[in-house]
Amino acid sequence: MSTPNTNPSDIDDVLETAARWRGAGRKVAMATVIATWGSSPRPVGSQLAVDQDGTMAGSVSGGCIEGAVVHEAKKVMEDGEPRLLSFGVSDEMAWDVGLACGGTVQVYVEAVE
Amino acid sequence: MRTATLQRLLQARADKEPVALVTDLTTGLQTLVFPDRVEGGFGLSPAHLEAVRDRIADDASGLIEEEDADGGMTLRLFVQVHNPPLRLILVGAVHIAQHLAPMAAMLGYGVTVVDPRGAFASEGRFPGVELDTRWPDEALADLAIDARTAVVTLTHDAKLDDPALLVALRSPAFYVGSLGSTRTHAKRLDRLRVQGLRDRQMARLHAPVGLDIGAVSPAEIALSVLAEITAVRRNGRILLHRD
């Protein structure tokens, strides 16, 4: 699969925000889209930074899986163990969950430490 | 991810140095791969290193996976490519350039406008845009055009467009386009041939510039140019139907 990169300036913002939060002594986790199947609103490489309070920067979807990712990100901040998350949504369910287009997204969540 | 790795990544991006962050999804270990060196947490075999560098060259983040005979995953690396921004060099600080520059910036391009005519290439007409008032061939030779650069000439003036095209069409630029009608373009090709360009080099020139979307206003023409640049960069389907 060779999905192109996202806009560089978007990524810059997320990485810099994560570094700034970390510099301020906050717990931070980073989520990255590592694979997609079917249609997906955010390409491979898209990132979301989360801090201990659940504050977000960037995105790994059209907004639908962010809640679940933040939930897992907090666990990653606690135990330091990276996690690989898969979200698959049928077209019928897609609208309810927020993946407006269906498809599957795999997200890697790691602590910044 | 270690904070030190994050800082190093941000530094490489600030230095506009291509780099890939490689994560071993099994162990969580990470390594930074630059075009000429590797910095980091785990070693890569020569074959995997080559695969990572291919991804940098293709500007394509993604997985490198290996299976054993039973279909079990023996290796899973995620490669996140961080390439410096794409660049767009516009020759001619004209009306269309005033629309093209901000639109290209929104698409993530670093834009430089080249025009030796100071009255055109003014800060007032191009707020926040990098301006180069040298003669186009001199400016383009100095701007180190690479495979992440697109060049578009917009002056309509052979004195300014031709010297720029002579440099651009010999460079590794991924896109070179020139404004002007089909008739103007035929004359232009004759001039460029006389000045030593080969057919193979001239065949790279997109002219008249832009996709034929019926654009009329300068903003619409800018849109058609950016649409074509995007199609070339992403191997867009529309180009398959070009003759």
Side-chain angles (χ1 to χ4, degrees):
Chain A
M1 192 181 318
S2 72
T3 307
N5 275 347
T6 49
N7 189 330
S9 52
D10 295 346
I11 291 287
D12 262 346
D13 289 346
V14 178
L15 293 176
E16 273 161 19
T17 302
R20 201 172 56 243
W21 286 347
R22 197 69 201 109
R26 292 151 83 171
K27 286 184 180 171
V28 181
M30 188 80 81
T32 307
V33 175
I34 62 157
T36 63
W37 292 267
S39 54
S40 154
R42 297 285 288 157
V44 168
S46 300
Q47 292 194 303
L48 171 75
V50 184
D51 79 352
Q52 60 207 24
D53 304 323
T55 312
M56 299 185 287
S59 87
V60 287
S61 76
C64 46
I65 62 171
E66 262 74 4
V69 171
V70 168
H71 185 70
E72 291 296 319
K74 286 186 176 171
K75 290 197 227 164
V76 170
M77 285 176 223
E78 289 308 315
D79 62 20
E81 289 297 318
R83 284 166 173 75
L84 196 55
L85 314 175
S86 286
F87 300 91
V89 184
S90 70
D91 286 343
E92 298 74 52
M93 283 181 60
W95 193 257
D96 292 338
V97 194
L99 266 179
C101 43
T104 303
V105 181
Q106 216 167 61
V107 178
Y108 182 72
V109 188
E110 63 190 317
V112 180
E113 50 196 6
Chain B
M1 176 186 263
R2 293 173 181 279
T3 306
T5 308
L6 177 57
Q7 294 294 355
R8 189 67 196 86
L9 193 56
L10 284 169
Q11 186 61 48
R13 291 184 64 98
D15 294 344
K16 299 195 192 308
E17 189 174 21
V19 61
L21 174 69
V22 183
T23 304
D24 184 329
L25 295 179
T26 316
T27 62
L29 291 175
Q30 290 175 319
T31 290
L32 289 171
V33 175
F34 294 84
D36 59 346
R37 66 189 188 283
V38 175
E39 294 178 9
F42 67 97
L44 288 163
S45 72
H48 293 145
L49 195 54
E50 194 185 326
V52 171
R53 292 203 165 120
D54 283 349
R55 284 201 165 274
I56 295 175
D58 295 344
D59 197 24
S61 298
L63 293 166
I64 296 174
E65 293 174 307
E66 268 173 24
E67 293 175 6
D68 59 22
D70 305 325
M73 212 64 85
T74 55
L75 178 94
R76 224 164 166 234
L77 303 176
F78 178 67
V79 183
Q80 187 169 30
V81 178
H82 296 264
N83 268 321
L86 295 158
R87 284 191 297 157
L88 174 62
I89 300 174
L90 299 175
V91 177
V94 297
H95 200 178
I96 292 171
Q98 288 179 286
H99 293 271
L100 247 176
M103 286 166 77
M106 285 175 80
L107 294 184
Y109 287 82
V111 182
T112 305
V113 175
V114 177
D115 200 321
R117 303 167 297 181
F120 285 81
S122 71
E123 168 69 21
R125 281 163 55 85
F126 291 90
V129 177
E130 191 179 309
L131 298 170
D132 192 323
T133 52
R134 288 175 291 180
W135 204 255
D137 51 352
E138 188 192 345
L140 263 59
D142 194 49
L143 285 168
I145 297 170
D146 59 19
R148 296 180 57 75
T149 307
V151 180
V152 176
T153 70
L154 298 166
T155 72
H156 262 128
D157 182 341
K159 281 201 309 298
L160 294 165
D161 280 359
D162 288 6
L165 292 173
L166 286 170
V167 177
L169 290 172
R170 287 173 172 137
S171 79
F174 76 89
Y175 176 95
V176 184
S178 194
L179 189 73
S181 67
T182 311
R183 210 164 53 89
T184 319
H185 181 52
K187 289 188 201 158
R188 173 191 297 131
L189 292 181
D190 289 340
R191 290 194 307 271
L192 294 176
R193 189 173 289 116
V194 168
Q195 295 183 74
L197 274 196
R198 295 164 185 277
D199 287 344
R200 171 173 49 82
Q201 293 167 325
M202 289 189 292
R204 296 183 52 214
L205 182 56
H206 293 268
V209 72
L211 293 183
D212 186 3
I213 56 171
V216 175
S217 71
E220 287 169 356
I221 294 168
L223 177 66
S224 84
V225 172
L226 286 169
E228 186 172 52
I229 293 174
T230 305
V232 168
R233 172 166 148 67
R234 304 289 200 198
N235 284 316
R237 230 172 310 174
I238 198 158
L239 290 179
L240 298 176
H241 303 296
R242 270 182 85 100
D243 45 33

